[in-house]
Amino acid sequence: QVQLVESGGGLVQAGGSLRLSCAASGRTASSYAIAWFRQGPGKEREFVTAINWNGNTKYADSVKGRFTISRDNAKNTVYLQMNSLKPEDTAVYYCAAVFSARSYTPTYVHEYDYWGQGTQVTVSS
């Protein structure tokens, strides 16, 4: 069992930056793949980025070169550094976890077992 708590959301102007944190408690997060998803108003929840237990990462095309995911296993925390933010990045951002010892990094909502409550990111134009 893993509990996830997101923080770091807020209001930022276009071109600005935010760093989101996902703190995991319970079983050690180092054995889990951790992902960030987002859900904009009236939209489906979509994959943003993920990091596997071995540090491998994946990014959605829409955020490549702007967002960076990282993890600090000692702190059981995963970070999402978001730069050059755009109004279309406005959404509730969720972190998610699944126990995984494989090299494959999941990117679909249904592949993740544990979810945080979400944190709002609003980018003004």
Side-chain angles (χ1 to χ4, degrees):
Q1 190 79 11
V2 174
Q3 294 79 42
L4 305 172
V5 178
E6 304 97 333
S7 61
L11 173 64
V12 64
Q13 288 188 332
S17 299
L18 280 175
R19 189 177 81 157
L20 306 183
S21 299
C22 174
S25 60
R27 293 181 64 179
T28 176
S30 62
S31 301
Y32 287 74
I34 307 287
W36 288 95
F37 289 80
R38 66 186 181 186
Q39 189 165 14
K43 297 182 179 179
E44 298 282 324
R45 192 168 297 190
E46 65 175 2
F47 173 77
V48 177
T49 181
I51 186 166
N52 209 347
W53 66 274
N54 58 7
N56 287 343
T57 58
K58 283 188 178 180
Y59 293 92
D61 288 343
S62 59
V63 305
K64 279 182 182 176
R66 299 189 298 123
F67 290 12
T68 303
I69 190 170
S70 61
R71 68 192 301 164
D72 184 336
N73 288 335
K75 295 183 178 180
N76 266 3
T77 300
V78 170
Y79 303 99
L80 178 61
Q81 179 65 45
M82 305 186 295
N83 299 328
S84 302
L85 282 161
K86 304 175 181 180
E88 50 264 44
D89 294 318
T90 295
V92 177
Y93 283 70
Y94 299 89
C95 69
V98 61
F99 179 77
S100 175
R102 302 175 298 168
S103 58
Y104 168 72
T105 303
T107 62
Y108 294 98
V109 170
H110 71 266
E111 294 182 294
Y112 284 85
D113 295 326
Y114 305 101
W115 293 83
Q117 82 289 348
T119 185
Q120 177 71 46
V121 172
T122 303
V123 184
S124 62
S125 57

